[in-house]
Amino acid sequence: ETLYLHAYEDRYLRDHLDPIAYGLCSRDDRQDLAASWDRLSQRERDLVLAHAEALYHGEIAYMDSQIEAMFHQLEVRGALDDTLVVFWSDHGEQFWEHGYYMHDVSMFREEVDLAFGLWARNLAATSWTGPTTMVDLLPTVFEVLGEALLPGHTGHVIGTAPEPRARFGFRYKADDIAR
């Protein structure tokens, strides 16, 4: 598995750091790093963290450039006048805040918080930072489009759910299941 592929392009990396003994884009190296984390000096930990953050920020810069290119192409083609752009992330990343690196290892906010956004020329800017669930994304998109939610779909427009609202969390990983 290779992660952060585009971050190695110099134009997306802002930090030039001393080398580290681990390849953060290699699953095996990340596992070795996790196993030896407690034995690293604070300086070594800080340097590894700086590398991880530089790679992560490089990926964000790369994604920003791709989104900018997409919007430019939509504008050139005249498609933005009647287009709703919907984007969301599937998870966050952890940078040893709770003793873990990357994702798919815990249910801490660093891993489960996500971003969701809508853009259209006629949408007023607003934000919601309160709790919600993924089931609320579809009703929110339908509301913006002025469409009725289809029978059988659940959820609420983001920001309109009644309180208290039952929420649940689960973690599933195929490697966790005995075969």
Side-chain angles (χ1 to χ4, degrees):
E1 172 188 25
T2 300
L3 301 176
Y4 307 109
L5 176 66
H6 301 286
Y8 282 115
E9 296 180 35
D10 283 339
R11 65 185 173 155
Y12 299 113
L13 285 177
R14 296 189 180 123
D15 299 322
H16 296 284
L17 303 166
D18 292 338
I20 57 175
Y22 302 93
L24 297 179
C25 298
S26 159
R27 180 186 312 250
D28 291 340
D29 279 2
R30 289 192 310 268
Q31 289 174 343
D32 291 345
L33 174 61
S36 63
W37 185 254
D38 292 336
R39 295 186 303 274
L40 297 179
S41 70
Q42 189 59 51
R43 182 187 179 288
E44 290 171 313
R45 287 181 183 187
D46 291 345
L47 186 56
V48 168
L49 181 57
H51 273 267
E53 289 175 346
L55 288 170
Y56 192 73
H57 291 185
E59 278 297 298
I60 291 170
Y62 172 76
M63 183 57 68
D64 284 349
S65 72
Q66 298 304 298
I67 291 170
E68 180 181 16
M70 177 194 71
F71 270 92
H72 175 74
Q73 284 300 311
L74 290 171
E75 181 70 44
V76 165
R77 296 174 185 187
L80 288 179
D81 291 336
D82 62 354
T83 296
L84 175 66
V85 178
V86 180
F87 63 93
W88 67 94
S89 64
D90 61 344
H91 56 76
E93 296 289 335
Q94 198 174 156
F95 293 103
W96 291 284
E97 292 89 349
H98 303 280
Y100 302 107
Y101 174 56
M102 299 214 44
H103 60 269
D104 196 23
V105 293
S106 77
M107 294 291 287
F108 289 108
R109 289 191 72 160
E110 289 82 3
E111 291 188 53
V112 299
D113 279 358
L114 61 92
F116 168 71
L118 302 171
W119 180 93
R121 287 202 194 277
N122 62 342
L123 282 180
T126 187
S127 66
W128 171 256
T129 59
T132 192
T133 66
M134 295 290 278
V135 74
D136 296 334
L137 301 185
L138 185 65
T140 303
V141 170
F142 274 53
E143 173 79 12
V144 169
L145 292 173
E147 299 291 330
L149 197 58
L150 302 173
H153 286 151
T154 60
H156 299 273
V157 173
I158 291 177
T160 66
E163 293 295 337
R165 181 178 184 194
R167 292 185 176 82
F168 63 93
F170 66 92
R171 180 177 177 273
Y172 165 80
K173 185 175 177 184
D175 295 347
D176 294 341
I177 298 175
R179 297 181 195 252

